[in-house]
Amino acid sequence: MNEKARLTGTIVHGKGLGHTVGMPTANLRCDEGSALPEAGVYASLLEVDGQTYFGVTNVGTRPSVDSDPTPTVETFLLHFTGDLYNCRVCLRLEAYLRPVRRMASLDEVRAQVQADGRRAERILSEIVRAKA
């Protein structure tokens, strides 16, 4: 991904699997006509109601949890608690972290998301500092 992607839309309910393992995701229903970037995992900034949150976003399929070929945009927000359902948001994909890949268990998914989160936080902190 050469240029940063910006997606807008509404947060909707997903399957709720992330919640069961302590990593709930904000599932973005992109505005009609939105073109998704290359499938992968990204360090992201989610803007809602004047606030910006750091996140890790999966764009594409979810091979570890289902075989649905429909791509999704799911963001695990770092250091966030609250309810974003039905909120309009802007999601900025700031840095590509890795490709989507199948993992053997939800525990492995959780460990990878935690590692991705640590890396995303470092990258996003630098981006925010550079803009200040």
PDB file of all heavy atoms in Angstrom, residues 3 8 13-14 16 38 55 57 62 66 73 80-82 85 90-92 96-97 100 108 118 132:
ATOM      1  N   GLU A   3      -0.129   4.605  -0.653  1.00  0.00           N
ATOM      2  CA  GLU A   3      -0.701   5.751   0.039  1.00  0.00           C
ATOM      3  C   GLU A   3      -1.642   5.257   1.119  1.00  0.00           C
ATOM      4  O   GLU A   3      -2.191   4.177   1.045  1.00  0.00           O
ATOM      5  CB  GLU A   3      -1.398   6.687  -0.934  1.00  0.00           C
ATOM      6  CG  GLU A   3      -2.530   6.069  -1.706  1.00  0.00           C
ATOM      7  CD  GLU A   3      -3.089   7.043  -2.717  1.00  0.00           C
ATOM      8  OE1 GLU A   3      -2.364   7.424  -3.639  1.00  0.00           O
ATOM      9  OE2 GLU A   3      -4.260   7.415  -2.562  1.00  0.00           O
ATOM     10  N   THR A   8     -14.574   5.565   5.533  1.00  0.00           N
ATOM     11  CA  THR A   8     -15.615   6.102   6.399  1.00  0.00           C
ATOM     12  C   THR A   8     -16.808   5.171   6.368  1.00  0.00           C
ATOM     13  O   THR A   8     -17.019   4.428   5.409  1.00  0.00           O
ATOM     14  CB  THR A   8     -16.048   7.519   5.954  1.00  0.00           C
ATOM     15  OG1 THR A   8     -16.490   7.460   4.599  1.00  0.00           O
ATOM     16  CG2 THR A   8     -14.919   8.515   6.102  1.00  0.00           C
ATOM     17  N   HIS A  13     -22.644  -4.393  14.355  1.00  0.00           N
ATOM     18  CA  HIS A  13     -22.391  -5.628  15.094  1.00  0.00           C
ATOM     19  C   HIS A  13     -21.772  -6.669  14.170  1.00  0.00           C
ATOM     20  O   HIS A  13     -22.175  -6.792  13.015  1.00  0.00           O
ATOM     21  CB  HIS A  13     -23.694  -6.186  15.673  1.00  0.00           C
ATOM     22  CG  HIS A  13     -24.216  -5.386  16.811  1.00  0.00           C
ATOM     23  ND1 HIS A  13     -23.818  -5.582  18.109  1.00  0.00           N
ATOM     24  CD2 HIS A  13     -25.094  -4.355  16.844  1.00  0.00           C
ATOM     25  CE1 HIS A  13     -24.433  -4.721  18.898  1.00  0.00           C
ATOM     26  NE2 HIS A  13     -25.211  -3.956  18.153  1.00  0.00           N
ATOM     27  N   GLY A  14     -20.792  -7.389  14.705  1.00  0.00           N
ATOM     28  CA  GLY A  14     -20.196  -8.513  13.984  1.00  0.00           C
ATOM     29  C   GLY A  14     -20.687  -9.797  14.611  1.00  0.00           C
ATOM     30  O   GLY A  14     -21.782  -9.854  15.166  1.00  0.00           O
ATOM     31  N   GLY A  16     -19.243 -11.242  17.196  1.00  0.00           N
ATOM     32  CA  GLY A  16     -19.010 -11.208  18.632  1.00  0.00           C
ATOM     33  C   GLY A  16     -17.922 -12.135  19.139  1.00  0.00           C
ATOM     34  O   GLY A  16     -17.738 -12.270  20.343  1.00  0.00           O
ATOM     35  N   GLU A  38      -5.518  -3.138  -0.105  1.00  0.00           N
ATOM     36  CA  GLU A  38      -4.971  -4.489  -0.103  1.00  0.00           C
ATOM     37  C   GLU A  38      -5.295  -5.182   1.222  1.00  0.00           C
ATOM     38  O   GLU A  38      -5.216  -4.577   2.293  1.00  0.00           O
ATOM     39  CB  GLU A  38      -3.450  -4.393  -0.278  1.00  0.00           C
ATOM     40  CG  GLU A  38      -2.695  -5.683  -0.121  1.00  0.00           C
ATOM     41  CD  GLU A  38      -1.188  -5.485  -0.159  1.00  0.00           C
ATOM     42  OE1 GLU A  38      -0.718  -4.381  -0.496  1.00  0.00           O
ATOM     43  OE2 GLU A  38      -0.488  -6.452   0.170  1.00  0.00           O
ATOM     44  N   GLY A  55      -5.421   1.785  16.798  1.00  0.00           N
ATOM     45  CA  GLY A  55      -5.993   0.464  16.591  1.00  0.00           C
ATOM     46  C   GLY A  55      -5.147  -0.410  15.691  1.00  0.00           C
ATOM     47  O   GLY A  55      -4.160   0.015  15.090  1.00  0.00           O
ATOM     48  N   THR A  57      -6.139  -2.944  12.564  1.00  0.00           N
ATOM     49  CA  THR A  57      -7.260  -3.230  11.679  1.00  0.00           C
ATOM     50  C   THR A  57      -6.937  -4.380  10.744  1.00  0.00           C
ATOM     51  O   THR A  57      -5.884  -4.394  10.099  1.00  0.00           O
ATOM     52  CB  THR A  57      -7.625  -1.984  10.839  1.00  0.00           C
ATOM     53  OG1 THR A  57      -8.004  -0.932  11.728  1.00  0.00           O
ATOM     54  CG2 THR A  57      -8.767  -2.270   9.881  1.00  0.00           C
ATOM     55  N   ARG A  62     -11.351 -13.589   7.322  1.00  0.00           N
ATOM     56  CA  ARG A  62     -10.949 -13.963   8.686  1.00  0.00           C
ATOM     57  C   ARG A  62     -10.738 -15.481   8.722  1.00  0.00           C
ATOM     58  O   ARG A  62     -11.552 -16.211   9.274  1.00  0.00           O
ATOM     59  CB  ARG A  62     -12.025 -13.532   9.673  1.00  0.00           C
ATOM     60  CG  ARG A  62     -12.297 -12.051   9.580  1.00  0.00           C
ATOM     61  CD  ARG A  62     -13.499 -11.586  10.323  1.00  0.00           C
ATOM     62  NE  ARG A  62     -14.605 -12.513  10.280  1.00  0.00           N
ATOM     63  CZ  ARG A  62     -15.533 -12.625  11.212  1.00  0.00           C
ATOM     64  NH1 ARG A  62     -15.499 -11.851  12.262  1.00  0.00           N
ATOM     65  NH2 ARG A  62     -16.513 -13.489  11.102  1.00  0.00           N
ATOM     66  N   ASP A  66     -13.586 -18.180  10.420  1.00  0.00           N
ATOM     67  CA  ASP A  66     -14.646 -18.681   9.548  1.00  0.00           C
ATOM     68  C   ASP A  66     -14.152 -18.778   8.112  1.00  0.00           C
ATOM     69  O   ASP A  66     -13.054 -18.334   7.800  1.00  0.00           O
ATOM     70  CB  ASP A  66     -15.925 -17.841   9.641  1.00  0.00           C
ATOM     71  CG  ASP A  66     -15.773 -16.406   9.166  1.00  0.00           C
ATOM     72  OD1 ASP A  66     -14.997 -16.156   8.212  1.00  0.00           O
ATOM     73  OD2 ASP A  66     -16.425 -15.528   9.737  1.00  0.00           O
ATOM     74  N   VAL A  73     -13.822  -5.260   7.526  1.00  0.00           N
ATOM     75  CA  VAL A  73     -12.890  -4.267   8.076  1.00  0.00           C
ATOM     76  C   VAL A  73     -13.165  -4.251   9.571  1.00  0.00           C
ATOM     77  O   VAL A  73     -14.196  -3.761  10.020  1.00  0.00           O
ATOM     78  CB  VAL A  73     -13.105  -2.872   7.451  1.00  0.00           C
ATOM     79  CG1 VAL A  73     -12.155  -1.867   8.086  1.00  0.00           C
ATOM     80  CG2 VAL A  73     -12.927  -2.920   5.938  1.00  0.00           C
ATOM     81  N   PHE A  80      -9.197   1.208  24.772  1.00  0.00           N
ATOM     82  CA  PHE A  80     -10.536   1.779  24.584  1.00  0.00           C
ATOM     83  C   PHE A  80     -11.573   0.904  25.261  1.00  0.00           C
ATOM     84  O   PHE A  80     -11.525  -0.317  25.161  1.00  0.00           O
ATOM     85  CB  PHE A  80     -10.884   1.882  23.098  1.00  0.00           C
ATOM     86  CG  PHE A  80     -12.287   2.371  22.851  1.00  0.00           C
ATOM     87  CD1 PHE A  80     -12.572   3.721  22.866  1.00  0.00           C
ATOM     88  CD2 PHE A  80     -13.317   1.467  22.638  1.00  0.00           C
ATOM     89  CE1 PHE A  80     -13.867   4.174  22.659  1.00  0.00           C
ATOM     90  CE2 PHE A  80     -14.612   1.917  22.420  1.00  0.00           C
ATOM     91  CZ  PHE A  80     -14.887   3.266  22.433  1.00  0.00           C
ATOM     92  N   THR A  81     -12.476   1.542  25.948  1.00  0.00           N
ATOM     93  CA  THR A  81     -13.674   0.864  26.434  1.00  0.00           C
ATOM     94  C   THR A  81     -14.846   1.755  26.066  1.00  0.00           C
ATOM     95  O   THR A  81     -14.747   2.983  26.120  1.00  0.00           O
ATOM     96  CB  THR A  81     -13.658   0.637  27.959  1.00  0.00           C
ATOM     97  OG1 THR A  81     -13.480   1.895  28.605  1.00  0.00           O
ATOM     98  CG2 THR A  81     -12.549  -0.312  28.375  1.00  0.00           C
ATOM     99  N   GLY A  82     -15.907   1.151  25.676  1.00  0.00           N
ATOM    100  CA  GLY A  82     -17.080   1.933  25.309  1.00  0.00           C
ATOM    101  C   GLY A  82     -17.864   1.244  24.224  1.00  0.00           C
ATOM    102  O   GLY A  82     -17.554   0.122  23.813  1.00  0.00           O
ATOM    103  N   TYR A  85     -21.296   1.227  18.556  1.00  0.00           N
ATOM    104  CA  TYR A  85     -22.311   0.756  17.617  1.00  0.00           C
ATOM    105  C   TYR A  85     -23.134   1.910  17.065  1.00  0.00           C
ATOM    106  O   TYR A  85     -23.555   2.803  17.796  1.00  0.00           O
ATOM    107  CB  TYR A  85     -23.225  -0.278  18.260  1.00  0.00           C
ATOM    108  CG  TYR A  85     -22.513  -1.566  18.565  1.00  0.00           C
ATOM    109  CD1 TYR A  85     -22.437  -2.045  19.868  1.00  0.00           C
ATOM    110  CD2 TYR A  85     -21.892  -2.297  17.563  1.00  0.00           C
ATOM    111  CE1 TYR A  85     -21.769  -3.224  20.155  1.00  0.00           C
ATOM    112  CE2 TYR A  85     -21.216  -3.472  17.837  1.00  0.00           C
ATOM    113  CZ  TYR A  85     -21.152  -3.929  19.135  1.00  0.00           C
ATOM    114  OH  TYR A  85     -20.486  -5.097  19.421  1.00  0.00           O
ATOM    115  N   CYS A  90     -14.300   7.662  10.951  1.00  0.00           N
ATOM    116  CA  CYS A  90     -13.301   7.725   9.893  1.00  0.00           C
ATOM    117  C   CYS A  90     -12.142   6.847  10.348  1.00  0.00           C
ATOM    118  O   CYS A  90     -11.633   7.013  11.466  1.00  0.00           O
ATOM    119  CB  CYS A  90     -12.829   9.162   9.675  1.00  0.00           C
ATOM    120  SG  CYS A  90     -11.491   9.274   8.471  1.00  0.00           S
ATOM    121  N   LEU A  91     -11.756   5.905   9.522  1.00  0.00           N
ATOM    122  CA  LEU A  91     -10.665   4.986   9.834  1.00  0.00           C
ATOM    123  C   LEU A  91      -9.515   5.268   8.877  1.00  0.00           C
ATOM    124  O   LEU A  91      -9.688   5.197   7.655  1.00  0.00           O
ATOM    125  CB  LEU A  91     -11.140   3.544   9.690  1.00  0.00           C
ATOM    126  CG  LEU A  91     -10.112   2.457   9.969  1.00  0.00           C
ATOM    127  CD1 LEU A  91      -9.701   2.465  11.453  1.00  0.00           C
ATOM    128  CD2 LEU A  91     -10.661   1.093   9.581  1.00  0.00           C
ATOM    129  N   ARG A  92      -8.364   5.598   9.441  1.00  0.00           N
ATOM    130  CA  ARG A  92      -7.174   5.863   8.628  1.00  0.00           C
ATOM    131  C   ARG A  92      -6.180   4.718   8.826  1.00  0.00           C
ATOM    132  O   ARG A  92      -5.707   4.486   9.937  1.00  0.00           O
ATOM    133  CB  ARG A  92      -6.552   7.198   9.024  1.00  0.00           C
ATOM    134  CG  ARG A  92      -7.478   8.359   8.726  1.00  0.00           C
ATOM    135  CD  ARG A  92      -6.871   9.739   8.914  1.00  0.00           C
ATOM    136  NE  ARG A  92      -5.622   9.825   9.611  1.00  0.00           N
ATOM    137  CZ  ARG A  92      -5.437  10.542  10.728  1.00  0.00           C
ATOM    138  NH1 ARG A  92      -6.432  11.209  11.278  1.00  0.00           N
ATOM    139  NH2 ARG A  92      -4.250  10.596  11.284  1.00  0.00           N
ATOM    140  N   TYR A  96       1.016  -0.620   6.972  1.00  0.00           N
ATOM    141  CA  TYR A  96       0.787  -2.049   6.757  1.00  0.00           C
ATOM    142  C   TYR A  96       1.689  -2.825   7.714  1.00  0.00           C
ATOM    143  O   TYR A  96       2.895  -2.573   7.769  1.00  0.00           O
ATOM    144  CB  TYR A  96       1.123  -2.391   5.300  1.00  0.00           C
ATOM    145  CG  TYR A  96       0.899  -3.825   4.912  1.00  0.00           C
ATOM    146  CD1 TYR A  96      -0.340  -4.246   4.446  1.00  0.00           C
ATOM    147  CD2 TYR A  96       1.929  -4.745   4.987  1.00  0.00           C
ATOM    148  CE1 TYR A  96      -0.552  -5.561   4.062  1.00  0.00           C
ATOM    149  CE2 TYR A  96       1.731  -6.061   4.608  1.00  0.00           C
ATOM    150  CZ  TYR A  96       0.493  -6.470   4.153  1.00  0.00           C
ATOM    151  OH  TYR A  96       0.291  -7.773   3.779  1.00  0.00           O
ATOM    152  N   LEU A  97       1.093  -3.734   8.478  1.00  0.00           N
ATOM    153  CA  LEU A  97       1.876  -4.522   9.438  1.00  0.00           C
ATOM    154  C   LEU A  97       2.232  -5.906   8.913  1.00  0.00           C
ATOM    155  O   LEU A  97       3.356  -6.361   9.088  1.00  0.00           O
ATOM    156  CB  LEU A  97       1.104  -4.664  10.753  1.00  0.00           C
ATOM    157  CG  LEU A  97       0.794  -3.382  11.508  1.00  0.00           C
ATOM    158  CD1 LEU A  97      -0.039  -3.681  12.752  1.00  0.00           C
ATOM    159  CD2 LEU A  97       2.072  -2.640  11.881  1.00  0.00           C
ATOM    160  N   VAL A 100      -2.803 -11.075   6.037  1.00  0.00           N
ATOM    161  CA  VAL A 100      -3.774 -11.893   6.761  1.00  0.00           C
ATOM    162  C   VAL A 100      -3.311 -13.339   6.646  1.00  0.00           C
ATOM    163  O   VAL A 100      -2.868 -13.767   5.577  1.00  0.00           O
ATOM    164  CB  VAL A 100      -5.182 -11.743   6.132  1.00  0.00           C
ATOM    165  CG1 VAL A 100      -6.172 -12.703   6.775  1.00  0.00           C
ATOM    166  CG2 VAL A 100      -5.679 -10.313   6.253  1.00  0.00           C
ATOM    167  N   GLU A 108      -4.045 -18.177  19.693  1.00  0.00           N
ATOM    168  CA  GLU A 108      -2.964 -17.726  18.816  1.00  0.00           C
ATOM    169  C   GLU A 108      -3.332 -16.385  18.174  1.00  0.00           C
ATOM    170  O   GLU A 108      -2.487 -15.497  18.055  1.00  0.00           O
ATOM    171  CB  GLU A 108      -2.688 -18.771  17.732  1.00  0.00           C
ATOM    172  CG  GLU A 108      -1.475 -18.455  16.890  1.00  0.00           C
ATOM    173  CD  GLU A 108      -1.174 -19.526  15.851  1.00  0.00           C
ATOM    174  OE1 GLU A 108      -1.652 -20.669  15.971  1.00  0.00           O
ATOM    175  OE2 GLU A 108      -0.442 -19.188  14.892  1.00  0.00           O
ATOM    176  N   ARG A 118       1.237  -3.849  20.039  1.00  0.00           N
ATOM    177  CA  ARG A 118       2.463  -3.213  20.547  1.00  0.00           C
ATOM    178  C   ARG A 118       3.212  -2.516  19.408  1.00  0.00           C
ATOM    179  O   ARG A 118       3.672  -1.383  19.551  1.00  0.00           O
ATOM    180  CB  ARG A 118       3.355  -4.236  21.250  1.00  0.00           C
ATOM    181  CG  ARG A 118       2.802  -4.712  22.583  1.00  0.00           C
ATOM    182  CD  ARG A 118       3.782  -5.582  23.335  1.00  0.00           C
ATOM    183  NE  ARG A 118       4.092  -6.830  22.651  1.00  0.00           N
ATOM    184  CZ  ARG A 118       3.374  -7.956  22.759  1.00  0.00           C
ATOM    185  NH1 ARG A 118       2.291  -7.990  23.523  1.00  0.00           N
ATOM    186  NH2 ARG A 118       3.732  -9.046  22.112  1.00  0.00           N
ATOM    187  N   ALA A 132       2.457  16.752  15.569  1.00  0.00           N
ATOM    188  CA  ALA A 132       2.237  17.749  16.636  1.00  0.00           C
ATOM    189  C   ALA A 132       3.133  18.958  16.489  1.00  0.00           C
ATOM    190  O   ALA A 132       4.079  19.035  15.809  1.00  0.00           O
ATOM    191  CB  ALA A 132       2.469  17.110  17.995  1.00  0.00           C
TER     192      ALA A 132
END
